[in-house]
Coordinates of all heavy atoms in Angstrom, one line a residue:
L287 N 16.6 -4.5 -11.4 CA 15.5 -5.5 -11.4 C 14.6 -5.3 -12.7 O 14.1 -4.2 -12.9 CB 14.6 -5.3 -10.2 CG 15.4 -5.5 -8.8 CD1 14.4 -5.3 -7.7 CD2 16.0 -6.8 -8.7
V288 N 14.5 -6.3 -13.4 CA 13.8 -6.2 -14.8 C 12.5 -7.0 -14.7 O 12.5 -8.2 -14.5 CB 14.7 -6.8 -15.9 CG1 14.0 -6.7 -17.2 CG2 16.1 -6.1 -15.8
P289 N 11.3 -6.4 -14.9 CA 10.1 -7.1 -14.8 C 9.9 -8.1 -15.9 O 10.2 -7.8 -17.1 CB 9.0 -6.0 -14.9 CG 9.7 -4.9 -15.6 CD 11.1 -4.9 -15.2
R290 N 9.5 -9.3 -15.6 CA 9.2 -10.3 -16.6 C 8.0 -9.9 -17.4 O 7.1 -9.2 -16.9 CB 8.9 -11.7 -16.0 CG 10.1 -12.2 -15.2 CD 9.8 -13.6 -14.6 NE 10.8 -14.1 -13.7 CZ 11.9 -14.7 -14.0 NH1 12.1 -15.0 -15.3 NH2 12.7 -15.2 -13.1
Q291 N 7.9 -10.4 -18.6 CA 6.7 -10.1 -19.5 C 5.5 -10.6 -18.8 O 5.4 -11.8 -18.3 CB 6.9 -10.7 -20.8 CG 5.7 -10.4 -21.8 CD 6.0 -10.8 -23.2 OE1 7.2 -11.1 -23.6 NE2 5.0 -10.9 -24.0
G292 N 4.5 -9.8 -18.6 CA 3.2 -10.2 -18.0 C 3.2 -10.0 -16.5 O 2.2 -10.3 -15.8
C293 N 4.3 -9.5 -15.9 CA 4.3 -9.2 -14.5 C 3.2 -8.2 -14.2 O 3.2 -7.1 -14.8 CB 5.7 -8.7 -14.1 SG 5.9 -8.3 -12.3
P294 N 2.4 -8.5 -13.2 CA 1.2 -7.6 -12.9 C 1.7 -6.2 -12.5 O 2.8 -6.0 -11.8 CB 0.5 -8.3 -11.7 CG 0.9 -9.7 -11.8 CD 2.3 -9.7 -12.4
E295 N 1.0 -5.2 -12.8 CA 1.3 -3.8 -12.5 C 1.4 -3.5 -11.0 O 2.3 -2.8 -10.6 CB 0.2 -2.8 -13.1 CG 0.6 -1.4 -13.1 CD 1.8 -1.0 -13.9 OE1 2.1 -1.7 -14.8 OE2 2.4 0.1 -13.6
E296 N 0.6 -4.2 -10.3 CA 0.6 -4.0 -8.8 C 1.9 -4.5 -8.2 O 2.5 -3.9 -7.3 CB -0.5 -4.7 -8.2 CG -0.6 -4.6 -6.6 CD -0.6 -3.2 -6.1 OE1 -1.1 -2.3 -6.8 OE2 -0.1 -3.0 -5.0
V297 N 2.4 -5.6 -8.8 CA 3.7 -6.2 -8.4 C 4.9 -5.2 -8.7 O 5.8 -4.9 -7.9 CB 4.0 -7.5 -9.0 CG1 5.4 -8.0 -8.7 CG2 3.0 -8.6 -8.5
R298 N 4.8 -4.6 -9.9 CA 5.8 -3.7 -10.3 C 5.9 -2.5 -9.4 O 6.9 -2.0 -9.0 CB 5.6 -3.2 -11.8 CG 5.6 -4.4 -12.8 CD 5.5 -3.8 -14.2 NE 5.3 -5.0 -15.1 CZ 5.6 -4.9 -16.4 NH1 6.1 -3.8 -16.9 NH2 5.3 -6.0 -17.2
L299 N 4.7 -2.0 -9.0 CA 4.6 -0.9 -8.1 C 5.2 -1.2 -6.7 O 6.0 -0.4 -6.2 CB 3.1 -0.5 -7.9 CG 2.9 0.7 -6.9 CD1 3.6 1.9 -7.3 CD2 1.4 1.0 -6.8
Q300 N 4.9 -2.4 -6.2 CA 5.4 -2.8 -4.9 C 7.0 -3.0 -5.0 O 7.7 -2.7 -4.0 CB 4.8 -4.1 -4.4 CG 3.3 -3.9 -4.1 CD 2.7 -5.2 -3.6 OE1 3.0 -5.7 -2.5 NE2 1.7 -5.8 -4.4
V301 N 7.4 -3.5 -6.1 CA 8.9 -3.6 -6.2 C 9.5 -2.3 -6.3 O 10.6 -2.0 -5.6 CB 9.2 -4.4 -7.5 CG1 10.7 -4.3 -7.9 CG2 8.8 -5.9 -7.4
Q302 N 8.9 -1.3 -7.0 CA 9.5 0.0 -7.0 C 9.5 0.6 -5.6 O 10.5 1.3 -5.3 CB 8.7 0.9 -8.0 CG 9.1 2.4 -8.0 CD 10.5 2.6 -8.5 OE1 11.0 1.7 -9.3 NE2 11.2 3.6 -8.0
Q303 N 8.5 0.4 -4.9 CA 8.4 1.0 -3.5 C 9.5 0.4 -2.6 O 10.2 1.1 -1.9 CB 7.1 0.7 -2.9 CG 6.0 1.6 -3.5 CD 4.6 1.1 -3.1 OE1 4.4 0.0 -2.6 NE2 3.6 2.0 -3.3
A304 N 9.8 -0.9 -2.8 CA 10.8 -1.6 -2.0 C 12.2 -1.1 -2.4 O 13.1 -0.9 -1.6 CB 10.7 -3.1 -2.2
V305 N 12.4 -0.9 -3.7 CA 13.6 -0.4 -4.3 C 13.9 1.0 -3.7 O 15.0 1.3 -3.3 CB 13.6 -0.4 -5.8 CG1 14.7 0.5 -6.4 CG2 13.8 -1.8 -6.3
E306 N 12.9 1.9 -3.8 CA 13.1 3.2 -3.3 C 13.4 3.2 -1.8 O 14.3 4.0 -1.3 CB 11.9 4.0 -3.5 CG 11.6 4.4 -5.0 CD 10.4 5.3 -5.2 OE1 9.8 5.7 -4.2 OE2 10.1 5.6 -6.3
Q307 N 12.8 2.4 -1.0 CA 13.0 2.4 0.4 C 14.4 1.9 0.7 O 15.1 2.5 1.5 CB 12.0 1.5 1.1 CG 12.1 1.5 2.6 CD 10.9 0.7 3.3 OE1 10.1 0.1 2.6 NE2 10.9 0.7 4.6
A308 N 14.8 0.8 0.0 CA 16.2 0.3 0.3 C 17.2 1.3 -0.1 O 18.3 1.5 0.5 CB 16.3 -1.0 -0.5
R309 N 17.0 2.0 -1.2 CA 17.9 3.0 -1.7 C 18.0 4.2 -0.8 O 19.1 4.7 -0.4 CB 17.5 3.5 -3.1 CG 18.6 4.1 -3.9 CD 18.3 4.2 -5.4 NE 17.0 4.8 -5.7 CZ 16.1 4.4 -6.6 NH1 16.5 3.4 -7.4 NH2 15.0 5.0 -6.8
N310 N 16.9 4.7 -0.4 CA 16.8 5.9 0.5 C 17.4 5.6 1.9 O 18.1 6.4 2.5 CB 15.4 6.4 0.7 CG 14.9 7.0 -0.6 OD1 15.6 7.4 -1.5 ND2 13.6 7.0 -0.8
E311 N 17.2 4.4 2.4 CA 17.7 4.0 3.7 C 19.1 3.4 3.6 O 19.7 3.1 4.7 CB 16.8 3.0 4.3 CG 15.4 3.5 4.6 CD 14.5 2.5 5.2 OE1 14.9 1.4 5.4 OE2 13.3 2.9 5.5
Q312 N 19.7 3.3 2.4 CA 21.1 2.9 2.2 C 21.4 1.6 2.9 O 22.3 1.5 3.7 CB 22.0 4.0 2.6 CG 21.7 5.4 2.0 CD 22.6 6.5 2.6 OE1 23.8 6.4 2.5 NE2 21.9 7.5 3.1
R313 N 20.6 0.6 2.6 CA 20.7 -0.6 3.4 C 21.8 -1.6 2.9 O 22.3 -2.4 3.6 CB 19.4 -1.4 3.3 CG 18.2 -0.7 4.0 CD 16.9 -1.6 3.8 NE 15.8 -0.9 4.4 CZ 14.5 -1.5 4.2 NH1 14.4 -2.6 3.6 NH2 13.5 -0.8 4.8
Y314 N 22.1 -1.5 1.6 CA 23.0 -2.5 1.0 C 24.2 -1.8 0.2 O 24.1 -0.7 -0.2 CB 22.2 -3.3 0.0 CG 20.9 -3.8 0.6 CD1 19.7 -3.3 0.3 CD2 20.9 -4.8 1.6 CE1 18.5 -3.7 0.8 CE2 19.7 -5.3 2.2 CZ 18.5 -4.7 1.8 OH 17.3 -5.1 2.4
Q315 N 25.2 -2.6 0.1 CA 26.4 -2.1 -0.7 C 26.2 -2.4 -2.2 O 27.1 -2.9 -2.8 CB 27.7 -2.8 -0.1 CG 28.9 -2.0 -0.5 CD 30.1 -2.5 0.3 OE1 30.1 -2.5 1.5 NE2 31.2 -2.8 -0.4
T316 N 25.1 -2.1 -2.6 CA 24.7 -2.1 -4.1 C 23.5 -1.2 -4.2 O 22.8 -1.0 -3.2 CB 24.4 -3.5 -4.6 OG1 24.2 -3.4 -6.0 CG2 23.2 -4.1 -3.9
I317 N 23.4 -0.5 -5.3 CA 22.3 0.5 -5.5 C 21.1 -0.2 -6.3 O 21.3 -0.5 -7.4 CB 22.8 1.7 -6.3 CG1 24.0 2.3 -5.5 CG2 21.7 2.7 -6.4 CD1 24.7 3.4 -6.3
P318 N 20.0 -0.4 -5.6 CA 18.9 -1.0 -6.3 C 18.3 -0.1 -7.4 O 18.2 1.2 -7.2 CB 17.8 -1.2 -5.1 CG 18.6 -1.1 -3.9 CD 19.7 -0.1 -4.2
W319 N 17.8 -0.7 -8.5 CA 17.3 0.1 -9.6 C 16.2 -0.8 -10.3 O 16.5 -1.8 -10.8 CB 18.4 0.4 -10.6 CG 18.0 1.4 -11.7 CD1 17.5 1.1 -12.9 CD2 18.1 2.8 -11.6 NE1 17.3 2.3 -13.6 CE2 17.7 3.3 -12.8 CE3 18.5 3.7 -10.5 CZ2 17.6 4.7 -13.0 CZ3 18.5 5.0 -10.8 CH2 18.1 5.5 -12.0
E320 N 14.9 -0.3 -10.2 CA 13.9 -1.0 -11.0 C 13.9 -0.4 -12.4 O 13.6 0.8 -12.6 CB 12.5 -0.7 -10.3 CG 11.4 -1.7 -10.6 CD 10.9 -1.6 -12.0 OE1 10.9 -0.5 -12.6 OE2 10.4 -2.7 -12.5
L321 N 14.2 -1.3 -13.3 CA 14.6 -0.8 -14.7 C 13.5 0.0 -15.3 O 13.8 1.1 -15.9 CB 15.0 -2.0 -15.5 CG 15.7 -1.6 -16.8 CD1 17.1 -1.1 -16.5 CD2 15.8 -2.8 -17.8
E322 N 12.3 -0.4 -15.3 CA 11.2 0.3 -16.0 C 10.9 1.6 -15.4 O 11.0 2.7 -16.0 CB 10.0 -0.6 -16.1 CG 8.8 0.1 -16.8 CD 7.5 -0.7 -16.7 OE1 7.6 -1.9 -16.4 OE2 6.5 -0.1 -16.9
R323 N 10.6 1.6 -14.1 CA 10.1 2.8 -13.4 C 11.2 3.8 -13.1 O 10.9 5.0 -13.2 CB 9.3 2.4 -12.1 CG 8.0 1.6 -12.5 CD 7.3 1.1 -11.2 NE 6.0 0.5 -11.6 CZ 4.8 1.1 -11.6 NH1 4.8 2.4 -11.3 NH2 3.8 0.5 -11.9
D324 N 12.3 3.3 -12.7 CA 13.4 4.3 -12.5 C 13.9 5.0 -13.7 O 14.2 6.1 -13.7 CB 14.6 3.6 -11.7 CG 14.3 3.5 -10.2 OD1 13.7 4.4 -9.7 OD2 14.8 2.5 -9.6
N325 N 13.9 4.2 -14.8 CA 14.2 4.9 -16.1 C 13.2 5.9 -16.5 O 13.6 7.0 -17.0 CB 14.3 3.8 -17.2 CG 15.6 3.0 -17.2 OD1 16.5 3.3 -16.5 ND2 15.7 2.0 -18.1
R326 N 12.0 5.6 -16.2 CA 10.9 6.6 -16.5 C 11.0 7.8 -15.6 O 10.8 8.9 -16.0 CB 9.5 5.9 -16.4 CG 9.2 5.0 -17.5 CD 7.9 4.2 -17.2 NE 6.8 5.1 -17.0 CZ 6.1 5.6 -18.0 NH1 6.4 5.3 -19.3 NH2 5.1 6.4 -17.8
R327 N 11.4 7.6 -14.4 CA 11.5 8.7 -13.4 C 12.6 9.6 -13.8 O 12.5 10.9 -13.7 CB 11.8 8.1 -12.0 CG 12.0 9.2 -11.0 CD 11.8 8.7 -9.6 NE 10.5 8.2 -9.4 CZ 10.0 7.8 -8.2 NH1 10.8 7.8 -7.1 NH2 8.8 7.4 -8.1
V328 N 13.8 9.1 -14.3 CA 14.8 9.9 -14.8 C 14.3 10.8 -15.9 O 14.6 12.0 -16.0 CB 16.1 9.1 -15.2 CG1 17.1 10.0 -15.9 CG2 16.7 8.4 -14.0
D329 N 13.6 10.2 -16.8 CA 13.2 10.9 -18.0 C 12.2 12.0 -17.6 O 12.1 13.1 -18.2 CB 12.5 9.9 -19.0 CG 12.4 10.6 -20.4 OD1 13.4 10.6 -21.1 OD2 11.3 11.1 -20.7

């Protein structure tokens, strides 16, 4: 998931929370990844 330019910070945070929850609960047969925040987390 790639944030559009100008996407509010609060929206990015809520998307990251949704991504983490979906990933941790293993809901889908694809692995969710919020591009900005997950890349930062790895680093």
Side-chain angles (χ1 to χ4, degrees):
L287 300 180
V288 182
R290 299 182 189 275
Q291 186 171 342
C293 180
E295 188 66 20
E296 177 60 27
V297 172
R298 300 183 190 207
L299 176 60
Q300 292 182 66
V301 167
Q302 175 61 29
Q303 291 170 342
V305 163
E306 286 183 5
Q307 185 174 4
R309 197 163 56 215
N310 292 336
E311 295 178 1
Q312 305 172 60
R313 295 178 181 176
Y314 312 105
Q315 198 167 308
T316 184
I317 303 171
W319 192 265
E320 204 285 333
L321 193 70
E322 176 187 343
R323 290 176 178 267
D324 277 325
N325 282 354
R326 287 173 61 81
R327 177 162 298 184
V328 170
D329 197 81

